[in-house]
Amino acid sequence: MPNRGSLHQPSPVSPPNRVSRVWVATIFLACLGLVLFGSPLFRVLGFEYAAVAGLMLSLVVGLLISTSLVSGPVKPWSTLYGLLPQLGVLFLIPLITGLLSAIFISNCALWDGILFYFEIALPAVIISTIFGTACGILARKKKWAVLLYLGVWFSSLALSFVPGYFTPQIFTYGWQYGFFPGLVWDDALTLTRSYALFQLGAVLISLLVLQFARLFRMRPAAPTTRDVLILIVLVVGVTTISLLSDDMRIISSHARVEKFLSGRIDVDHHTIVRFKPGDLTVDEQRLLKGNLLWYLHDIRERMGLHDTSRDFRIYVYPGSDERYEFVGTRSANIAKPWLGELHITKGSLRSLKHELTHLLMAEVGSFPFYISWATGLTEGVAMSIELPYDGLRSINQQAARVVQTRPHSGVQEIMSFAGFASNASFTSYTLAGSFSRYLLDHYGSAPYIKVYKTLDFENVYHQSLSQLEQEWLAALKPFETPMTVYDSLRTLNGISDTSVLYRPCLRRIGKLMAAASSAMKKHMLLKADSLYAIVFKESGRSNALAGRLYAQIELHRPLVALKILDSTAKPLSNYWYVTLGTRAVAEYLAKDTSVAIRDFSTLAAIGASDASLVDSYIFARTLAQPLSRGAGTDWVKYFYASYTGISARAHAVMIDSILERSVDSVRPYLTYLSAMSWLAAGRIYAAERRLHECIPTLRAGSIEDSLIITLAKMRLAVLEESEPQLTEVPAGFDGLLEDITEAKNKISYLRSIGYSLDH
């Protein structure tokens, strides 16, 4: 019997003549099942399909190779060469299945799908072959080869998710699946240089493992100089990529994030805010600190939380592009309760209380993410506590509108992650928030905390989830007032949105939208318009239609913009609703002022949000008055600025220029608009001064007038930390009442702890 350590090796193991039918059937049936029963995102040959195929192939190929090479030679190249046809067959099965599915299922990005398949599945096959070879060399029996490879496969899979758990990023790289963007889907997705460098590192690691396996089998014979040199090269390569992985954007460490966000606010002994120097003014920093002190106190009081020793880090990014670079998403703020950290953009700080709720609820959450395993409870508690997202209507008013529009709406489906994600986000978040608000208001925080942990509604509330749902629906009845056409438009716009799981052509559309947005930023307006037109034709997305309109307005072609709208946005349709403001701007630029005033007035009556209502009302009031020389030109610049993303300070300067030449009848409204613009620019003193100017001159007449007066007084009180002197809030705006109550409570608390803006 030959010595296993001898340099004189046994004859190569003869590979089977053809690949096992079991392997073929397994992969084919798995791919067929994905095509037949998967969501539109997974069933066509694209990124998600390629990732699932890579995962399957990495397992099957590795097991095939390792079991074929058991007790084989230290240099198994001839055996591997004999297995190449089998590997080719296995590799092609998912690809051919995906290509054939395109005959029956529309695939608008087939070439992109083929590219993704080769970028993800091919490295998975190569690396699994190398790891499988190493396991086959080391194992004496097939069962040990199987166990050894499964150990390598599962351990490396688990390790691939470690950066997503312990660092700011939500994305991860893995040789089995290629790239995982996290559970927050961004439409646009490309595999970058970082991905290529990761896969290179994975190949080097697998080769290093193979080299160690060969040297282990060669014992007691001494390794050759060539073997040692190969080992050194591989060790150097793996070490280099590991040390540079942060700089190569393979991982995103806290150190790199904090180097970029080097500004610091110490909120209390356990809470730190990091921001980019120069991005927050001194006034904004003080206001943010005051908000955080209040939010931390209020959330703990409402939920009966007592742990004040946990450390929190809040990272405030200048915009979504910067957050994408470090965290991996443009579309959402990210809370990581298990790390006690939050990643949010400056422009979305209104959602700060929602995200902070996730961090504080980690005290009662479940391992490993310290949240509830019912997504409806995790998001529901945050929605029930945060400020009304539109500034006007309470969560119960919003939920009542959803139930009125969709009578069979409920919360049982949205408790699970799959159910929550499969509905429109507006529907899931609104219903979960209202249901959680009901449970907290009627039963208190203690049972909610228990069910947050256990999910056992019947044991905690002594009622089934179905019975609690009926109670909640009955409690919503008082909010189910008769719906106007505008109520229906607002609600349908929210609930008609499609979950990303069911959006066909998601990646292609995302890629085109990203290219169009980039063209807009570079002022390549004709290119942007053509790309937006393609997206709108293929997907019907309203943001693509809006992009076309912005491009035409920037090209000084308002009549073209109006022509596009006339052909696509029929009156009272969803397209008409979401583009009405842009239509009014185009009408004004086309010198059809009376129609522009009408549409701005309609937009104010719709009242999509407090800002939309007030701005539209002020625009209509101002344009209805004679404009002094130059003011009309300034309005044009102001409208352009609204769609080109200029700084908040430049925006404020523009409105002040209009204000200086306005007639007396509209000065109070423009002064309020100026105050809001300076507040957005972080100039709190300037905002206060403008609010002091406008409040005495504003007169209640219409609902909009009363609303502006209320908002002005409330915001001045918040800035000055004084008791609001408020008039009666217009009926139907329960959310504004909640905002006012929040402002009063915040001011009272900050006074009690001796905190002041002191600007």
Side-chain angles (χ1 to χ4, degrees):
M1 180 176 179
N3 187 336
R4 286 179 67 86
S6 173
L7 292 175
H8 190 74
Q9 301 300 334
S11 302
V13 175
S14 299
N17 293 327
R18 59 187 179 185
V19 66
S20 168
R21 294 176 182 175
V22 175
W23 296 126
V24 173
T26 300
I27 292 186
F28 174 71
L29 290 175
C31 294
L32 187 63
L34 193 64
V35 168
L36 293 178
F37 305 111
S39 78
L41 193 62
F42 287 87
R43 67 192 305 184
V44 297
L45 183 58
F47 169 77
E48 285 74 17
Y49 182 94
V52 174
L55 202 64
M56 292 188 299
L57 285 170
S58 66
L59 187 60
V60 170
V61 168
L63 291 174
L64 172 66
I65 295 295
S66 61
T67 53
S68 298
L69 296 178
V70 169
S71 299
V74 175
K75 296 182 178 180
W77 318 131
S78 59
T79 306
L80 286 174
Y81 182 78
L83 289 170
L84 282 179
Q86 302 177 44
L87 297 181
V89 170
L90 292 174
F91 175 76
L92 289 174
I93 290 172
L95 179 61
I96 293 172
T97 305
L99 290 172
L100 290 176
S101 73
I103 299 173
F104 309 100
I105 304 171
S106 176
N107 187 337
C108 53
L110 187 60
W111 288 112
D112 285 349
I114 294 172
L115 180 61
F116 275 131
Y117 187 82
F118 277 91
E119 288 177 326
I120 295 172
L122 185 58
V125 169
I126 292 171
I127 296 169
S128 60
T129 298
I130 299 171
F131 275 130
T133 301
C135 293
I137 288 175
L138 289 173
R140 295 175 181 270
K141 296 181 179 180
K142 285 190 176 184
K143 69 175 182 179
W144 294 118
V146 169
L147 290 174
L148 189 57
Y149 183 75
L150 288 177
V152 170
W153 194 87
F154 280 108
S155 61
S156 60
L157 181 66
L159 286 172
S160 73
F161 293 112
V162 167
Y165 188 84
F166 288 107
T167 70
Q169 70 196 61
I170 61 171
F171 62 90
T172 58
Y173 296 106
W175 62 268
Q176 296 99 324
Y177 56 84
F179 176 68
F180 175 61
L183 293 176
V184 179
W185 272 273
D186 279 359
D187 293 359
L189 189 150
T190 55
L191 297 178
T192 63
R193 182 180 62 177
S194 300
Y195 172 76
L197 291 170
F198 166 81
Q199 291 289 26
L200 174 61
V203 170
L204 293 176
I205 290 172
S206 62
L207 289 172
L208 183 60
V209 170
L210 175 59
Q211 186 67 355
F212 274 121
R214 291 185 63 250
L215 295 178
F216 183 82
R217 272 289 307 277
M218 290 173 62
R219 293 176 311 148
T224 65
T225 302
R226 182 170 178 270
D227 287 329
V228 173
L229 286 175
I230 290 173
L231 188 66
I232 292 173
V233 169
L234 291 173
V235 168
V236 170
V238 170
T239 303
T240 300
I241 290 180
S242 298
L243 293 175
L244 297 178
S245 59
D246 200 3
D247 295 329
M248 294 175 178
R249 309 294 196 267
I250 296 173
I251 64 170
S252 184
S253 68
H254 287 97
R256 186 160 69 89
V257 172
E258 292 176 5
K259 182 179 179 181
F260 176 72
L261 301 177
S262 57
R264 173 172 173 148
I265 304 171
D266 292 297
V267 178
D268 57 25
H269 295 302
H270 297 284
T271 307
I272 296 171
V273 176
R274 304 301 296 248
F275 64 96
K276 186 178 181 182
D279 197 43
L280 294 176
T281 66
V282 174
D283 284 345
E284 285 177 309
Q285 293 176 44
R286 294 286 296 170
L287 193 59
L288 177 57
K289 181 176 179 179
N291 285 339
L292 280 167
L293 288 170
W294 161 244
Y295 293 160
L296 290 166
H297 167 78
D298 187 46
I299 296 167
R300 286 180 176 129
E301 285 292 306
R302 289 199 199 188
M303 298 308 302
L305 303 172
H306 307 291
D307 185 0
T308 58
S309 63
R310 295 185 65 236
D311 293 331
F312 298 122
R313 288 174 292 185
I314 299 167
Y315 298 95
V316 181
Y317 297 84
S320 57
D321 287 341
E322 291 82 3
R323 183 182 58 199
Y324 178 78
E325 178 183 350
F326 292 100
V327 181
T329 177
R330 291 186 178 90
S331 62
N333 299 312
I334 297 297
K336 291 196 168 188
W338 60 97
L339 296 179
E341 67 185 45
L342 164 61
H343 300 268
I344 190 169
T345 62
K346 179 184 176 182
S348 56
L349 283 173
R350 184 175 175 83
S351 301
L352 180 58
K353 195 172 188 180
H354 176 111
E355 304 299 343
L356 198 60
T357 301
H358 291 314
L359 299 193
L360 289 166
M361 288 296 289
E363 180 182 332
V364 295
S366 301
F367 179 83
F369 301 112
Y370 294 94
I371 57 175
S372 172
W373 286 109
T375 308
L377 294 178
T378 298
E379 294 298 342
V381 65
M383 286 295 294
S384 72
I385 288 176
E386 80 164 323
L387 300 174
Y389 82 94
D390 69 355
L392 297 175
R393 301 166 189 89
S394 69
I395 192 72
N396 287 332
Q397 286 180 301
Q398 300 281 6
R401 294 300 189 222
V402 173
V403 172
Q404 284 175 278
T405 308
R406 285 178 43 183
H408 301 295
S409 297
V411 293
Q412 295 187 66
E413 180 186 7
I414 62 174
M415 281 297 116
S416 69
F417 174 78
F420 196 95
S422 63
N423 279 280
S425 63
F426 174 82
T427 302
S428 294
Y429 279 92
T430 300
L431 297 183
S434 178
F435 181 66
S436 294
R437 173 79 64 87
Y438 172 78
L439 293 179
L440 290 167
D441 287 348
H442 286 74
Y443 295 98
S445 61
Y448 193 94
I449 292 296
K450 290 180 182 178
V451 83
Y452 193 85
K453 295 178 181 178
T454 65
L455 311 186
D456 189 348
F457 286 90
E458 195 144 1
N459 186 49
V460 173
Y461 289 101
H462 308 294
Q463 297 183 77
S464 66
L465 177 57
S466 176
Q467 290 171 313
L468 288 168
E469 180 184 69
Q470 292 306 310
E471 275 190 12
W472 161 68
L473 289 171
L476 282 183
K477 288 295 181 183
F479 298 98
E480 295 182 9
T481 55
M483 293 179 67
T484 67
V485 173
Y486 298 153
D487 291 330
S488 298
L489 280 171
R490 285 195 311 272
T491 307
L492 286 170
N493 180 59
I495 68 176
S496 61
D497 189 29
T498 307
S499 167
V500 293
L501 296 175
Y502 298 101
R503 289 180 189 170
C505 304
L506 180 74
R507 299 306 178 192
R508 169 175 164 78
I509 297 304
K511 182 178 177 180
L512 290 172
M513 284 294 289
S517 177
S518 176
M520 280 289 286
K521 290 177 181 177
K522 296 174 182 176
H523 216 67
M524 301 167 64
L525 302 174
L526 291 175
K527 179 180 179 181
D529 178 63
S530 64
L531 289 170
Y532 283 129
I534 294 171
V535 172
F536 184 69
K537 181 180 179 181
E538 293 186 5
S539 69
R541 291 196 186 183
S542 58
N543 56 349
L545 176 59
R548 288 208 70 190
L549 304 179
Y550 300 158
Q552 293 301 330
I553 288 174
E554 278 285 277
L555 286 164
H556 304 278
R557 290 167 19 180
L559 291 176
V560 175
L562 291 172
K563 185 177 180 180
I564 293 170
L565 281 169
D566 289 339
S567 64
T568 56
K570 304 305 178 186
L572 301 183
S573 67
N574 191 55
Y575 292 137
W576 176 86
Y577 167 74
V578 298
T579 60
L580 186 58
T582 314
R583 176 188 287 274
V585 172
E587 287 161 347
Y588 177 73
L589 297 177
K591 304 189 184 305
D592 198 348
T593 305
S594 61
V595 179
I597 292 170
R598 181 201 67 192
D599 285 343
F600 274 132
S601 299
T602 302
L603 193 59
I606 291 173
S609 68
D610 55 353
S612 171
L613 188 156
V614 170
D615 288 358
S616 301
Y617 179 70
I618 292 175
F619 293 163
R621 287 289 301 259
T622 304
L623 297 183
Q625 301 297 325
L627 298 177
S628 61
R629 180 173 297 180
T633 303
D634 286 337
W635 268 119
V636 172
K637 292 179 181 177
Y638 182 82
F639 288 140
Y640 279 137
S642 299
Y643 300 110
T644 54
I646 68 166
S647 70
R649 186 180 185 282
H651 222 161
V653 170
M654 284 184 178
I655 200 67
D656 277 0
S657 175
I658 298 170
L659 173 62
E660 289 172 4
R661 287 171 287 178
S662 65
V663 296
D664 290 343
S665 59
V666 296
R667 281 188 65 83
Y669 302 103
L670 292 176
T671 305
Y672 175 81
L673 202 59
S674 171
M676 295 302 96
S677 298
W678 284 115
L679 185 59
R683 301 297 193 268
I684 292 175
Y685 178 74
E688 281 183 15
R689 182 164 52 84
R690 289 300 194 202
L691 287 171
H692 274 296
E693 290 175 14
C694 75
I695 288 173
T697 58
L698 287 166
R699 296 289 180 267
S702 64
I703 291 177
E704 291 85 357
D705 290 327
S706 299
L707 186 65
I708 292 172
I709 293 170
T710 301
L711 288 169
K713 289 182 177 180
M714 182 185 71
R715 282 166 180 161
L716 181 60
V718 170
L719 296 179
E720 293 188 334
E721 295 177 359
S722 60
E723 188 70 21
Q725 301 298 316
L726 299 174
T727 55
E728 184 177 347
V729 174
F733 295 138
D734 290 7
L736 183 54
L737 283 171
E738 291 182 4
D739 264 353
I740 293 169
T741 303
E742 173 91 1
K744 287 181 177 180
N745 292 337
K746 172 192 165 186
I747 291 164
S748 176
Y749 173 72
L750 292 179
R751 280 179 179 173
S752 72
I753 63 173
Y755 185 81
S756 173
L757 285 177
D758 191 28
H759 54 268

